[in-house]
Structures are given as structure tokens and as C-alpha cells.
Amino acid sequence: MEKQRLYEKVRHGTPRFPMACFTTRPEQPSFQIQLHWHNSMEIMQMEQGTAEVTIGAQTFQAHAGDLFFINPQQLHRILAEDAALVYHTFIFPLHALAFQTGDNAQAYLEPLIQNTMHFPVQPAEEDQAWIADLLRRILTAAEQKAAGYELMIKALLLQLIAELLRRKRFLAVPQSPSKKSQQLKQMLEYIQQHSESDLTIPTMAETFHLSEKYFSRYFRTATGQNFTAYLNTVRIEKARVLLRETDETVLEIALNCGYGSISYFNRVFRQQIGMSPLQYRTSAR
């Protein structure tokens, strides 16, 4: 399942059970999930290989066995140059764990649902074994889909939260998000919404009332990529979806994704994906 968007609008699971567990094995040694955020809770569990994981302002060198909690609305990304990379993702909206009645059990969940309390980005070392065991049971239930598996997954997630509460692992969230974090989200969402347009550093700087020099420096520092590289990543991800899900020609897709030159589109696509657009369409179907 691909999540390479800034604000992720992909629906996980089903309307009646909006939770998903899946395993990622990259198609190419060079792999990235670009900077994005969503309103669901996400847990990442490394099985093998290495990756660079950025969550908020923190960057980690992730290895097999590492666990990460990605709270709702936290900007995050994954970069890897490892063909052996395998990791598991558990994603769910916290409100899906809520109880119908406002009893004491629900009172424990409300700070998480209202985003005034956060999971720690990385669990304490002494917590990793029991958390890994719970996640293994969740993944098994999701894969087997035996009768009542939805109830099992929900119960295990509640058990995870209850145990973290007992151990006092949750963190209070500052009342107001940083101005820079909010501005970065606005920039990235703007790029996502207008990626088919003629976006340039001057137009972005003007839109966000910044000098071109400051915008370029700020964008590289905040995302780890220069503006053109990030824009190409967004455009190529959209192109991949169109190649898989439509019968549009490569030329039509290139134009729809903001490329005025099909030769440039082909070159960028091959650099990022390791094959031509036509080869990708054939392999993806």
C-alpha cells in the first residue's frame, strides 16, 4: 500500500473497520516515502534491513527490531538504500477505539483522540519485547482474518494503550503547534494540490511571502530535499498511480503530472523508479 502523499487521503481498511496492517518490501533498493502526515495513528515495526526514519524534528537510523510510534498529524518520511528492507505498518484512527458510553475507560482514550496526549516516538527499551509480541498477534490476526479478527485487533490495540498508560509512557502535547511546522504542512499540501501546475521557487516564495533564498534554504532544511527533487517525487508518484489505474498514454500522463517535456518525464521516472514508464505499467498490471 502506498502512502507517498503529504496529507494522506487514502482510506485504510473499510468504512466499518478503518484499520490496516501491511508489510512493505520495496520494489527497488532506493526507496522513499516522502514527507507527509495524516490523522490516523501509525506504528512502524522494522523486520529487516535499514532505513532513515524522520518523525517530526527527529531522524533515526532504523534497524531490524526497531519500533516507532507516529502520532496523528506528525510529519514523517522514510528513506532507504537497502534492497533487504522489510517493515510492518499498523495504521488506525484513534477514534475507532472509542466506546459508545462515556465511562472511565473512555476517559482514558479522550486525550489521545483529542490529540492532547501522544505516544512516545520510540518505546522504552524495556517495552519493546511486549509491544513487538502484541504487534505480531495483530499482524497474524489481520493476515488470517478468522471470525472475529476485527474484535481481536481492536482488543490488542486497547491492551497496548492500557499497558502504556499503566507504565506512564504517554506524553503531554503542547497546546499550540509550532508556526514552522504548520507553515511546512501548508507548503507541502500546496505542492500536492498544484503539482500539475508550473510550480517554481519564485512562485512558491511569492505564495508564502518569503524571499526565494530563504524559501530554498528553509525547504531543504525542513524536508531534506531541494524543492525540485521534492516536486518530482510528488509528480512521479502521481504518474505511477495513473500508469497503474488508467489507460492514458505516457504523453497524457506526463502532461497531467506537470511535465511539458516527455523526454524529461521519462528521464526523471527512470531515475526514481529504475525503469521506463511503459515498463512500470507492464510490471504493475
Side-chain angles (χ1 to χ4, degrees):
M1 181 179 297
E2 298 179 28
K3 307 187 298 303
Q4 299 180 14
R5 293 177 172 86
L6 166 65
Y7 169 56
E8 193 175 59
K9 298 183 176 74
V10 175
R11 173 178 287 168
H12 297 287
T14 67
R16 291 183 62 81
F17 191 67
M19 304 181 186
C21 313
F22 50 90
T23 300
T24 298
R25 294 179 175 86
E27 301 167 353
Q28 303 293 327
S30 182
F31 171 78
Q32 68 172 308
I33 292 185
Q34 68 189 30
L35 202 62
H36 69 288
W37 63 279
H38 42 68
N39 287 319
S40 291
M41 182 69 204
E42 181 175 339
I43 305 173
M44 177 184 176
Q45 181 182 34
M46 292 284 291
E47 180 176 315
Q48 66 181 48
T50 59
E52 181 182 280
V53 178
T54 298
I55 303 171
Q58 296 177 276
T59 297
F60 307 88
Q61 297 303 316
H63 301 84
D66 286 346
L67 294 167
F68 300 95
F69 291 118
I70 302 168
N71 289 284
Q73 300 184 24
Q74 278 190 321
L75 286 163
H76 55 285
R77 69 176 176 188
I78 303 168
L79 306 175
E81 296 289 340
D82 188 346
L85 176 66
V86 179
Y87 68 91
H88 308 295
T89 300
F90 307 81
I91 188 163
F92 54 96
L94 287 162
H95 65 77
L97 301 178
F99 296 92
Q100 186 172 0
T101 56
D103 57 10
N104 284 346
Q106 178 64 19
Y108 288 118
L109 295 176
E110 279 302 322
L112 289 170
I113 294 171
Q114 298 301 324
N115 206 29
T116 60
M117 188 167 69
H118 271 183
F119 286 74
V121 173
Q122 274 196 303
E125 186 174 346
E126 60 267 31
D127 293 339
Q128 293 200 12
W130 67 264
I131 293 175
D133 180 63
L134 281 179
L135 295 179
R136 177 187 56 77
R137 293 165 63 189
I138 290 171
L139 191 61
T140 299
E143 289 173 346
Q144 294 180 348
K145 288 185 169 55
Y149 82 94
E150 299 97 334
L151 187 60
M152 176 64 73
I153 290 174
K154 200 167 182 177
L156 290 168
L157 289 172
L158 287 169
Q159 183 180 341
L160 170 65
I161 291 172
E163 186 61 26
L164 288 172
L165 278 167
R166 187 182 72 82
R167 296 174 182 239
K168 299 180 180 179
R169 303 303 195 211
F170 287 107
L171 307 171
V173 179
Q175 289 301 305
S176 58
S178 72
K179 184 177 180 180
K180 282 193 173 183
S181 175
Q182 289 300 100
Q183 184 180 50
L184 180 59
K185 286 181 180 179
Q186 291 169 4
M187 287 179 179
L188 299 182
E189 190 162 7
Y190 186 88
I191 293 170
Q192 179 65 36
Q193 292 174 349
H194 299 86
S195 61
E196 74 285 354
S197 304
D198 184 24
L199 288 184
T200 62
I201 289 174
T203 59
M204 289 294 295
E206 181 180 359
T207 299
F208 289 93
H209 311 292
L210 303 169
S211 72
E212 294 177 27
K213 184 177 180 180
Y214 179 84
F215 170 79
S216 296
R217 185 172 64 249
Y218 171 77
F219 194 88
R220 178 184 282 277
T221 300
T223 67
Q225 292 179 285
N226 64 42
F227 172 73
T228 300
Y230 186 90
L231 177 60
N232 277 329
T233 301
V234 172
R235 286 174 167 174
I236 295 303
E237 174 57 25
K238 289 188 174 182
R240 291 175 69 182
V241 174
L242 293 173
L243 286 164
R244 288 196 312 270
E245 299 180 2
T246 75
D247 292 320
E248 293 180 7
T249 67
V250 173
L251 175 59
E252 289 172 331
I253 289 173
L255 294 173
N256 289 338
C257 292
Y259 291 98
S261 165
I262 190 168
S263 61
Y264 180 58
F265 169 69
N266 285 334
R267 184 164 69 252
V268 174
F269 194 96
R270 186 179 288 277
Q271 287 173 349
Q272 289 198 21
I273 310 303
M275 63 183 77
S276 72
L278 285 176
Q279 288 172 327
Y280 178 79
R281 169 170 273 170
T282 300
S283 68
R285 290 187 171 183

